[in-house]
Amino acid sequence: MTEQRIENVIIVGSGPAGYTAALYTARANLEPLVIEGFAWGGLLQQTTDVENYPGFPDGIMGPEMMQHFRTQAERFGARLETDDATRIEVSREGGLHKVWTGDQLYVTRALILAMGAQHRKLDVPGEAELAGRGVSYCATCDAAFFRQAPTLIVGGGDSAMEEAMFLSKFAAKVAIVHRRDDFRASRIMLERARAIPNIEWLTPYVVEEFSGENGSLSVARLRNTADGSSRELEVTGAFIAIGHEPQSQLVVGQVETDAAGYVVTKGRSTLTGIPGVFAAGDLVDHTYRQAVTAAGSGCQGALDAEWYLRDTPFPLSEAEIAEAAAGASA
Ligand code: NAP
């Protein structure tokens, strides 16, 4: 039986919330372990210019910003595990919490959940089958594959505008397909998108089906939500930008989540209701979902964890040590 190291704090997730929590807990000498995932950096890895993060008057590219977050956390001693968490088991009584990456078990006194959110799916026929073959959730990642191609973007928020503007630099045409005539996107983003000649606007329409030719996307069937009429659009690229879903799957049923799957925290804190388990960033936030608010929330998570560790007796009881040792042999 190998001896199981007991971590002070494990952070699961590596967007602005996760790395900020890592930075703060590292600077508090807690030697945090960050389970950052293979695709570390969160959704900002998939964005281009970030113009609304204070401190960068000329803007910064999303991936570059996340590299900075990561480097800063590491500089103060955060340890990074570039692997995906596959299972989490929280101790309801606030004992030791467990996180697995495959067969590897980690045991910790405090746990900060910062798994963020992922792209929402349309759930229409053809979407899953043609994902990666024309259907994409990230124009920043995939736009270059669609040079001079006819494309569409689904959605009416800032993400859809941002994706459309980026894609318009590559594609022959970008049709923005939105289910209402009104747009949720901010005025500045809408105005910028409206000024681009190869963006066209199709409202109020929803995509009902994607179909392909030789395994690649060729047609999107649209339905007008006002009069019910249908039309077909020949496209080889379709980008879905209809918002996000919290990545709470590993903790659903163990910490309180709301109807949409966001982790519920107490008041303005990051406390989940399970002693020693905190949640931060997009995982808890349906409302603001900004890099800067996620970073602030990660800082709160770190401080909450630090105060918890300060106020919670250590060493552990014999039962807890035995439990951790049992975990090591599991
Ligand atoms: P969002 O604001 O929630 O917008 C999602 C859009 O998708 C809405 O227009 C919604 O339509 C539509 N939609 C949702 N489910 C749909 C479905 N099943 N079928 C068809 N359409 C559907 O999400 P977001 O655009 O990802 O933005 C999230 C947050 O990030 C916002 O606060 C935004 O301001 C921010 N953001 C900012 C920037 C920037 O400033 N550079 C860039 C990206 C995101 P309805 O409007 O009809 O509900």
Side-chain angles (χ1 to χ4, degrees):
M1 185 188 296
T2 50
E3 193 169 323
Q4 178 71 47
R5 173 177 172 145
I6 296 172
E7 304 288 345
N8 293 313
V9 55
I10 288 181
I11 297 153
V12 184
S14 60
Y19 285 138
T20 304
L23 170 66
Y24 271 74
T25 49
R27 286 176 55 82
N29 284 339
L30 293 172
E31 300 177 349
L33 176 68
V34 185
I35 311 290
E36 63 174 0
F38 284 117
W40 57 266
L43 287 177
L44 275 170
Q45 287 287 24
Q46 302 173 12
T47 198
T48 48
D49 291 309
V50 180
E51 294 179 333
N52 52 10
Y53 199 90
F56 297 93
D58 300 322
I60 182 169
M61 301 300 274
E64 188 187 352
M65 184 158 103
M66 293 324 297
Q67 180 66 63
H68 286 325
F69 268 72
R70 188 177 193 246
T71 304
Q72 194 173 357
E74 258 193 313
R75 177 180 154 213
F76 291 101
R79 290 167 299 133
L80 308 178
E81 189 59 47
T82 311
D83 206 345
D84 290 328
T86 50
R87 184 175 155 203
I88 293 176
E89 203 178 285
V90 308
S91 161
R92 294 201 167 275
E93 300 76 36
L96 293 170
H97 311 290
K98 295 177 179 172
V99 180
W100 283 262
T101 58
D103 291 339
Q104 178 67 50
L105 166 69
Y106 300 93
V107 175
T108 185
R109 296 174 64 205
L111 176 62
I112 301 176
L113 305 171
M115 290 90 86
Q118 266 301 341
H119 301 286
R120 184 177 288 147
K121 310 279 189 296
L122 279 175
D123 288 330
V124 296
E127 181 184 15
E129 295 79 357
L130 294 166
R133 296 159 183 270
V135 174
S136 167
Y137 300 85
C138 179
T140 317
C141 319
D142 297 336
F145 300 123
F146 296 93
R147 282 177 206 277
Q148 294 310 315
T151 62
L152 66 78
I153 301 253
V154 188
D158 281 334
S159 296
M161 299 308 124
E162 188 178 64
E163 300 259 290
M165 286 186 274
F166 188 75
L167 185 59
S168 70
K169 295 176 190 160
F170 299 85
K173 195 177 68 178
V174 181
I176 294 183
V177 176
H178 179 42
R179 62 187 177 184
R180 297 185 296 134
D181 289 326
D182 290 332
F183 284 85
R184 190 182 290 270
S186 55
R187 179 170 297 198
I188 185 167
M189 298 288 276
L190 262 179
E191 280 173 4
R192 284 182 190 169
R194 286 209 160 106
I196 296 177
N198 63 337
I199 293 182
E200 72 175 52
W201 304 78
L202 293 178
T203 66
Y205 278 100
V206 288
V207 174
E208 279 201 320
E209 184 176 6
F210 291 112
S211 47
E213 220 176 72
N214 303 326
S216 294
L217 175 68
S218 58
V219 171
R221 187 156 51 79
L222 311 184
R223 180 173 53 83
N224 186 305
T225 59
D227 62 19
S229 62
S230 288
R231 63 180 283 182
E232 289 196 343
L233 203 62
E234 288 190 6
V235 285
T236 55
F239 292 81
I240 320 295
I242 59 167
H244 300 96
E245 275 171 2
Q247 294 301 290
S248 55
Q249 300 89 333
L250 295 179
V251 292
V252 164
Q254 301 192 68
V255 300
E256 188 184 349
T257 47
D258 68 13
Y262 288 87
V263 173
V264 176
T265 50
K266 288 190 190 319
R268 297 182 58 224
S269 78
T270 62
L271 276 61
T272 62
I274 303 286
V277 180
F278 309 90
D282 282 7
L283 186 67
V284 301
D285 179 10
H286 333 197
T287 315
Y288 302 106
R289 291 183 300 195
Q290 302 298 302
V292 66
T293 51
S297 166
C299 161
Q300 289 176 284
L303 295 175
D304 284 337
E306 190 183 337
W307 295 329
Y308 167 80
L309 291 170
R310 181 194 64 194
D311 297 338
T312 306
F314 195 76
L316 303 157
S317 69
E318 290 202 358
E320 284 169 320
I321 291 167
E323 193 200 337
S329 62

